[in-house]
Structure formats: C-alpha cells, structure tokens
C-alpha cells in the first residue's frame, strides 16, 4: 500500500530547470541561449543532492531503472530510426519534389489555403514542422509578392500546415514520444487524433479561403520541377504506418528506398549514402539531428525517476485530483498540463517527455484510453508550440521575412482552432477506455 502521499518539495528539480531555462531566455532575450540539455543536467544534479534517503549507488540504480523502461528505450531507438529516414529522404530530393508536386496541382485563386493544405501533406510526410517551414516559407514569400497579400498571412498558412503534421505524423518525434509514454499504438493514436483535429483543419481552409478569395497566382513563373520517385518514400512510410506495419520496419524500409531513389536519380553519390543517413545533406540532420532529443529524453527519464521516488508525481496527481472530477476532468487536466509545460519549455517534444509519465498516471486513474491521452498530449503541446513567439517554429518562420513572430501569430489559425476542437471533444464526445470492460 502506497504510504507516500506526495511532496511539493520533490518538484524542486523541475522548478530549477524552469527557472534556469526561462530565466536565461528572459535575461538574454533569446530563449535558446540556454541549451535545454544543460538546464536538465543542472536539474538532475539538484535531484541527486535533494534525495538524502538513498546512497549515491542507490540513486544510480533508481535512474537506471527509469531510463531502462521499455517505452523510453523504444522511443529513443525510434527517434534515431526517424532521423535516418529524414536524412536519407531529404538527400534524395524528397522534400523539394513533394513541395513542387503540391504547388504544381494548386488551382489558381487558392494560393494561401493551398499553402496550408500542402504544408499539411508535407509535414505529415516529413514528420517535422521545422523542415516544413524551411521548405515552404520561401515559396510563401514568393506567393505574397505575386498576389499582393500580406506576408504575415502567407507565412501564417505555412505555420498552420507545419503544426498539422507535427501533431499527426507517424514519424514526428512528438507522436513517437506521446505514443510511447502513454503505451498505445501509433495507428490508434493517429485515428483518434485525426478525428479530433479534422474539424479544425477544415475550418482553417475555409477561413484562409475567405481571407484571400480574391487572390490570383501564376505558377508559370516558378520552377516547380519534381520527380514522383522522390516522393514515393514519403508515401510508403505514411501508408505503411497507417496500415499498422511495425514502425521500425517502416522507417528502415523508407530509408533503404530513399537511398535507392537518391542513387537512381543521381541526387545521392553512392559513396555518401551512409553519410546522408547519419548527417543528412546539410550535415546537421539525419541520425545526428536526433541526438539532442534522444539525450534529453534519457536525462528527463532520470529526473522523473528521482522526482517520483521523492513523491513529486504523487503530489501533482493529488493536486490535479482536487480540481477535477471524472474522466472529462482528467482529460482537461492532461490538456492543461501539456500546454503549461510546453509554454515553459518552448519545445513540444521535451514537454511531452516531461508531462508524459504524469499524464499516464492520470489516464490510468480516470480510465482514459491511452490513445486519447496520447492525442491530448500531442495536440495541446502543438497548440502551445504554434502560438508562443519564442518557439523555434515561429522564430524560423519570421526569419525568412522581416516580420516579427507577433505579426504572424494572428494568422496561426489552426493551432487556435485545434485547441477549441480539443476542448469540444473532451466536453461532448465520450471516449471509452477498453479497461472499463473488465471493471479495472
């Protein structure tokens, strides 16, 4: 029987992380001045000092058990596999061809809503909001110049499309983290999540259409060459993941296919194949591009293990229980937790890794289906990430123009509607947990 009723003081390491991370950003004006991994290591050091009930070796054993959890190990391996696929398919020309293919079928007069739709497809296929923004933002600049519509609304459409796939993609690090921390299948989370965000996506298209319905855009002046073979790996990975093929097999298969396509089309030199897998075409992607989030996940697992041992998780659960009633209250609690942690960390993957263990205990306490809790975690961290002016996505999008993030935020329509849609589903759409059938 659990005797530990929880301790607020046990949350000190997390508080230290937030103070260091946010403090450095506020003082310097740059929320990326303090690398997250450094702040987390300081927090881990604090946790070691704070726990005086266990010897050093015992604390090492506690964090080793936390890191050795099946979900943590699986998540880290999937991060690396996703990085390998991303590096290979980008080097093969898949990103450029996918963008150009989408623009080539774009009807005249719907340039801005078309940017959103193309962004949705690319981000779901690529699994990265940053990659989507990097690929589409220059196109959005051209569309703005040719149509006369404000740069903010065009870049806003790209932001919306990027956050759609960041939340849904099978190979997104946020999806991987949400699924593995909540213990559900990717295809189940995708189906659940898709039904919740579909109304928001449709409304976003409609709103962009009415805002820009008088636009006319001539594609003939742009170079939109593409090769359908280079798009094929994205489609294979997307379809394979949706029909339930093991994610490792899907990602490895997609990586091999990308390398074959790259060599066959001449975009990858055979001697550089493995370098593309490791580093990507720009030297910062591929497997190496996943190192940071993989190491952060390991360190966060260490911190969570010690915080749990000291009663911090029990304290949070007790606090949440006081303010919520029933399953809907539990779901609102998970949504609020995810959004709050993302606002503090400015990184939705890190936020999911931090909030995931707590969300899982809430879902078990209130019999919330794992696919539902995973969807809520992913959705509401993406809501925060798509709206905070100090987030990497908005900073990157603004970097392609002379705009500030604050000028783009009013047109980040999809994250706002995604939050509304999520709350509506929580309040009015029941979601039965299979565990209820057995009365557990």
């Amino acid at each position: 029987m659990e005797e530990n009723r929880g301790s607020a003081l046990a949350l000190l390491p997390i508080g230290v992380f937030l103070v260091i991370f946010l403090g450095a950003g506020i003082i310097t004006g740059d929320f990326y001045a303090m690398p997250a991994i450094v702040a987390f290591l300081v927090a881990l050091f604090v946790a070691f000092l704070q726990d005086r009930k266990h010897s050093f070796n015992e604390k090492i054993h506690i964090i080793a058990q936390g890191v050795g959890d099946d979900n943590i190990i699986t998540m880290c391996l999937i991060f690396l596999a996703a990085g390998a696929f991303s590096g290979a398919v980008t080097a093969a020309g898949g990103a450029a061809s996918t963008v150009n293919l989408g623009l080539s079928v774009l009807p005249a007069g719907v340039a801005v809503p078309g940017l959103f739709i193309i962004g949705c497809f690319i981000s779901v296929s690529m699994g990265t909001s940053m990659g989507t923004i990097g690929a589409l933002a220059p196109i959005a600049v051209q569309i703005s110049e040719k149509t006369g519509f404000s740069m903010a609304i065009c870049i806003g459409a790209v932001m919306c499309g990027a956050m759609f796939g960041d939340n849904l993609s099978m190979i997104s690090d946020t999806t991987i983290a949400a699924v593995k921390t909540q213990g559900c299948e990717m295809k189940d989370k995708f189906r659940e999540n898709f039904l919740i965000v579909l109304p928001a996506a449709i409304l976003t298209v409609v709103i962009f259409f009415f805002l820009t319905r008088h636009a006319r855009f001539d594609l003939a002046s742009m170079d939109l060459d593409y090769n359908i073979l280079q798009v094929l790996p994205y489609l294979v990975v997307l379809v394979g993941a949706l029909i339930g093929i093991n994610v490792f097999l899907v990602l490895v298969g997609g990586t091999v296919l990308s390398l074959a396509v790259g060599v066959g089309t001449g975009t990858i030199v055979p001697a550089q194949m493995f370098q593309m897998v490791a580093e990507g075409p720009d030297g910062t992607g591929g497997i190496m591009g996943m190192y940071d989030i993989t190491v952060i996940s390991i360190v966060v697992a260490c911190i969570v293990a010690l915080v749990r041992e000291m009663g911090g998780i029990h304290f949070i659960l007790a606090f949440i229980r006081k303010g919520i009633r029933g399953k809907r209250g539990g779901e609102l609690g998970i949504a609020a937790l995810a959004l709050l942690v993302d606002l503090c960390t400015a990184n939705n993957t890190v936020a999911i890794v931090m909030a995931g263990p707590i969300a899982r205990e809430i879902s078990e306490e209130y019999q919330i289906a794992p696919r539902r809790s995973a969807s809520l975690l992913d959705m509401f961290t993406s809501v925060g990430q798509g709206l905070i002016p100090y987030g990497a996505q908005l900073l990157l999008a603004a970097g392609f123009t002379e705009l500030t993030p604050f000028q783009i935020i009013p047109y980040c329509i999809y994250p706002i509607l995604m939050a509304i849609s999520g709350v509506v589903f929580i309040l009015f759409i029941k979601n039965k947990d299979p565990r209820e059938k057995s009365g557990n």
Side-chain angles (χ1 to χ4, degrees):
M1 183 175 181
E2 183 62 60
E3 296 180 358
N4 187 355
R5 300 182 62 183
S7 167
L9 189 60
L11 299 174
L12 178 63
I14 296 176
V16 168
F17 164 77
L18 295 177
V19 169
I20 293 175
F21 187 76
L22 291 178
I26 293 171
I27 293 172
T28 64
D30 179 6
F31 281 86
Y32 292 88
M34 168 62 72
I37 183 59
V38 176
F40 276 123
L41 284 173
V42 173
L44 180 59
F45 179 71
V46 170
F48 261 82
L49 292 179
Q50 185 182 1
D51 182 3
R52 299 187 178 183
K53 293 182 179 179
H54 301 90
S55 67
F56 180 82
N57 288 336
E58 288 173 334
K59 283 181 277 194
I60 290 292
H61 179 68
I62 290 169
I63 66 173
Q65 286 184 314
V67 174
D69 181 85
D70 289 354
N71 290 320
I72 298 297
I73 295 298
T74 303
M75 178 172 65
C76 291
L77 291 176
I78 294 177
F79 281 153
L80 299 179
F85 170 71
S86 177
V89 74
T90 302
S97 280
T98 302
V99 170
N100 290 344
L101 173 61
L103 289 172
S104 296
V105 299
L106 186 67
V110 292
V112 175
L115 273 175
F116 169 66
I117 294 171
I118 295 168
C120 290
F121 176 76
I122 294 173
S123 58
V124 168
S125 302
M126 293 175 64
T128 165
S129 54
M130 297 291 284
T132 301
I133 294 168
L136 270 184
I139 304 296
V141 171
Q142 293 184 51
I143 289 178
S144 174
E145 293 173 349
K146 293 178 183 298
T147 61
F149 277 95
S150 72
M151 192 74 71
I153 194 171
C154 294
I155 294 294
V158 172
M159 272 292 302
C160 291
M163 298 317 299
F164 178 88
D166 193 68
N167 166 233
L168 278 178
S169 175
M170 295 287 187
I171 58 173
S172 169
D173 48 4
T174 61
T175 296
I176 294 167
V179 166
K180 291 305 170 185
T181 58
Q182 301 309 295
C184 65
E185 295 294 329
M186 285 194 179
K187 64 179 186 299
D188 294 332
K189 183 266 184 187
F190 178 89
R191 292 166 184 163
E192 176 82 14
N193 207 158
F194 183 75
L195 290 175
I196 298 174
V197 302
L198 181 59
I202 293 173
L203 279 175
T204 300
V205 172
V206 172
I207 292 172
F208 275 129
F209 175 78
F210 276 101
L211 288 176
T212 62
R213 60 188 179 279
H214 300 303
R216 291 295 180 268
F217 180 54
D218 182 16
L219 290 170
S221 60
M222 297 180 63
D223 180 13
L224 296 176
D225 291 337
Y226 65 87
N227 187 325
I228 195 66
L229 287 177
Q230 295 172 341
V231 181
L232 186 61
Y234 284 134
L235 297 176
V236 169
V237 167
L238 182 60
V239 173
L242 283 175
I243 63 178
I245 298 177
N246 181 278
V247 64
F248 286 109
L249 294 178
V250 169
L251 290 172
V252 170
T255 302
V256 173
L257 179 59
S258 297
L259 293 174
V261 168
V263 171
T265 58
T267 55
I268 296 179
V269 178
Q272 296 181 338
M273 286 194 303
F274 299 112
Q275 183 179 349
M276 295 300 102
V277 171
E279 303 177 357
D282 60 358
T284 61
I287 294 174
M288 289 183 63
M290 289 292 187
Y291 281 2
D292 281 355
I293 189 57
T294 301
V295 174
I296 285 174
S297 297
I298 293 172
V299 175
V300 169
C302 295
I303 296 172
V304 170
L306 286 174
V307 168
R308 182 189 301 275
E309 185 69 22
M310 292 185 289
I313 302 300
H314 290 290
F315 174 82
I316 292 176
L317 290 173
F319 180 79
I320 291 176
R321 289 191 189 102
K322 291 179 182 178
I324 60 179
R325 295 291 183 272
K327 180 179 292 188
R328 286 192 179 93
E331 291 180 356
L332 287 172
I334 292 173
L337 174 69
L339 180 59
L340 176 62
V341 176
D342 184 75
L343 295 178
C344 294
T345 61
N347 185 308
N348 46 345
T349 307
V350 172
I352 291 171
V353 172
M354 288 183 67
I358 301 172
R360 185 163 186 171
E361 295 210 23
I362 295 173
S363 68
E364 291 174 351
E365 171 74 15
Y366 293 97
Q367 295 188 319
I368 300 168
R371 62 182 182 273
R372 181 83 151 207
S373 60
S375 297
L376 293 175
L377 265 181
D378 206 346
M379 283 174 53
F380 281 90
T381 52
S382 291
V383 167
Q385 200 64 27
L387 294 174
I388 52 177
Y390 50 88
Q393 286 81 355
L394 269 169
L395 290 173
L396 177 63
F400 283 97
T401 69
E402 296 181 355
L403 300 172
T404 67
F406 293 99
Q407 292 173 293
I408 303 172
I409 288 174
Y411 299 103
C412 292
I413 299 167
Y414 176 72
I416 297 171
L417 292 177
M418 180 164 56
I420 295 172
S421 183
V423 172
V424 169
F425 265 73
I426 289 173
L427 295 178
F428 301 106
I429 308 297
K430 292 183 178 181
N431 187 268
K432 192 173 181 64
D433 184 357
R435 289 171 294 194
E436 291 180 295
K437 296 178 180 179
S438 61
N440 293 334

